[in-house]
Amino acid sequence: MSDSAHFEPLIDRIYEAGLIPSLWPAVLGELSAAIGGNGGFLFGVRDGYTSAVNSAEYDQLMPVFLRDGWSERDPNLPRAIALNHAGFVTDYDLLSEEEIATNDVYCNFYRKHGLGYRAGTIIPMPSGDSIAIVMPRHQDHGPVPRDVVNLLDGLRPHLARASLAANRIGFERARAQADALQVLGLPGAVLHGRGRVFAANGLFEALVPSLFQDRIERVTMTDVTADALLAEALGPRSLAGGRTVKSIPIAATADRVPMVLHVIPVRGDARDIFTQATALLVVTPVDRAVVPTAEVLQGLFDLTPAEARVARGIGQTVTIDALADATGVNRETVRSQLKAVLSKTGLSRQQELVSLLAGKAFRGG
């Protein structure tokens, strides 16, 4: 394991993964094979493990680790952060033998799945987040020996540079995505972590701080009603719940037309581990002069076709009875559809919907 030339192909693959993030699962597997390990993991870290890429053998296990709370109870991460060592560390660098023997995560998760011992390192990212690379070893093989740690330390600069390259490429991609929205005349921003702005175009920046404010915890809005909906949309359950777009109405002001803010969850490959990108924000102005078509309403607020027709009718001040007659359904069905429209637009009263679609300011309540 001391022949550095032997690892040149692996080093080349590490740098490839820095440019092509989808290669990281395979590279983690190759790195593990080179040190006699048992697969590998790459975690995004921000106040705990947030997301992960793993070698193929852990495709079924990793979701369980993150979903069932094992990651939150793992004692190694906070110990490693506190140690702040610019290299790989082992279990015994962080925990006592008694802690390893009795800890719940070790006893009931790691050893149950053949992950008895590990070596890992934390690599800071310019965004303020970190990347943790963890190489497990089956308990039958005993603790990770020091010569393996030394070998990993020799590879760590390459892993760090590749991670930084992936982070930078992710930022450039996020910036390009935001700039593409500007070409369409739409303010847009990419969020990371729990909702901080990672990249934004000029149109979005022009709305700061009058409408948006990038605070330490997350981006916020000066429109209190809209901000409450944004906080809900950026919550971990909402972002983890699928690809559903959350659409939030924004009241008009004396110097700003009414708008709709779309919160689009980011899903995808390993590059999101490096950028910690979680959502795309897109702001769509609402034309004050016209009530949007049913098709536009459907796209703005994720409405069904029937709900969109009801919303447009209400915006044109058509009565519920007239809508029922026009669509051939009973009055209660229209009321149910209107209730769904109000829920999806974050409003509570029919008049607020009329005001929004007529281009007038509304107040929540």
Side-chain angles (χ1 to χ4, degrees):
M1 291 192 293
S2 60
D3 184 5
S4 59
H6 177 71
F7 293 101
E8 286 181 4
L10 175 57
I11 293 171
D12 289 342
R13 291 280 287 163
I14 289 171
Y15 284 113
E16 279 187 84
L19 301 175
I20 309 172
S22 59
L23 295 178
W24 278 103
V27 168
L28 290 169
E30 293 172 27
L31 180 59
S32 172
I35 62 171
N38 195 28
F41 307 96
L42 189 152
F43 293 97
V45 176
R46 182 183 176 85
D47 299 325
Y49 295 124
T50 60
S51 49
V53 172
N54 53 269
S55 54
E57 56 265 53
Y58 295 118
D59 285 345
Q60 303 303 314
L61 187 60
M62 180 53 66
V64 176
F65 180 68
L66 295 174
R67 183 193 66 220
D68 292 354
W70 296 106
S71 63
E72 298 167 11
R73 302 197 297 274
D74 181 357
N76 287 280
L77 181 60
R79 298 278 183 95
I81 292 172
L83 185 62
N84 193 28
H85 175 65
F88 276 82
V89 295
T90 70
D91 310 83
Y92 285 106
D93 293 319
L94 304 173
L95 305 172
S96 69
E97 189 164 356
E98 181 180 358
E99 286 176 310
I100 293 171
T102 59
N103 181 266
D104 177 46
V105 180
Y106 275 86
C107 294
N108 297 312
F109 186 83
Y110 289 140
R111 286 178 178 158
K112 179 180 177 181
H113 298 289
L115 304 175
Y117 299 101
R118 296 169 302 162
T121 190
I122 296 178
I123 301 169
M125 294 287 105
S127 60
D129 303 319
S130 298
I131 295 299
I133 297 175
V134 178
M135 307 306 299
R137 181 180 176 93
H138 197 283
Q139 57 262 29
D140 290 349
H141 298 157
V144 178
R146 188 50 54 183
D147 64 333
V148 169
V149 174
N150 292 338
L151 187 152
L152 288 169
D153 280 345
L155 294 173
R156 187 180 184 275
H158 306 295
L159 293 165
R161 283 191 284 269
S163 297
L164 291 169
N167 179 262
R168 184 64 194 177
I169 289 171
F171 173 78
E172 295 296 344
R173 186 179 288 111
R175 181 75 198 190
Q177 192 173 19
D179 286 346
L181 291 170
Q182 175 140 338
V183 173
L184 300 176
L186 298 175
V190 177
L191 305 185
H192 73 153
R194 296 181 180 179
R196 294 201 65 185
V197 174
F198 183 64
N201 62 27
L203 292 174
F204 188 93
E205 291 170 350
L207 296 174
V208 178
S210 62
L211 180 58
F212 295 100
Q213 296 180 349
D214 187 21
R215 300 191 180 277
I216 293 175
E217 185 63 24
R218 66 168 177 87
V219 64
T220 62
M221 301 180 67
T222 54
D223 183 314
V224 176
T225 301
D227 187 61
L229 296 171
L230 177 60
E232 181 181 349
L234 294 178
R237 291 188 178 181
S238 295
L239 291 177
R243 299 176 180 272
T244 304
V245 178
K246 312 291 183 182
S247 297
I248 299 170
I250 303 170
T253 65
D255 56 358
R256 188 180 67 234
V257 301
M259 301 176 177
V260 178
L261 172 66
H262 308 282
V263 183
I264 305 169
V266 170
R267 298 287 182 269
D269 58 27
R271 69 173 176 267
D272 298 330
I273 302 297
F274 294 94
T275 65
Q276 303 266 340
T278 51
L280 175 67
L281 298 186
V282 182
V283 182
T284 306
V286 177
D287 190 334
R288 300 174 71 107
V290 297
V291 174
T293 66
E295 291 77 16
V296 169
L297 290 172
Q298 186 177 349
L300 287 179
F301 297 108
D302 309 318
L303 305 179
T304 66
E307 291 166 354
R309 287 192 293 272
V310 167
R312 177 165 170 77
I314 294 298
Q316 294 173 318
T317 67
V318 178
T319 66
I320 287 178
D321 287 334
L323 285 171
D325 291 341
T327 56
V329 298
N330 62 48
R331 203 167 178 275
E332 291 309 309
T333 297
V334 175
R335 284 191 176 278
S336 177
Q337 291 166 341
L338 175 58
K339 184 178 179 180
V341 170
L342 292 175
S343 175
K344 290 182 178 181
T345 55
L347 305 176
S348 58
R349 296 193 298 268
Q350 182 175 329
Q351 185 54 46
E352 292 175 344
L353 180 64
V354 174
S355 297
L356 171 70
L357 299 181
K360 300 173 184 176
F362 63 84
R363 295 293 183 267

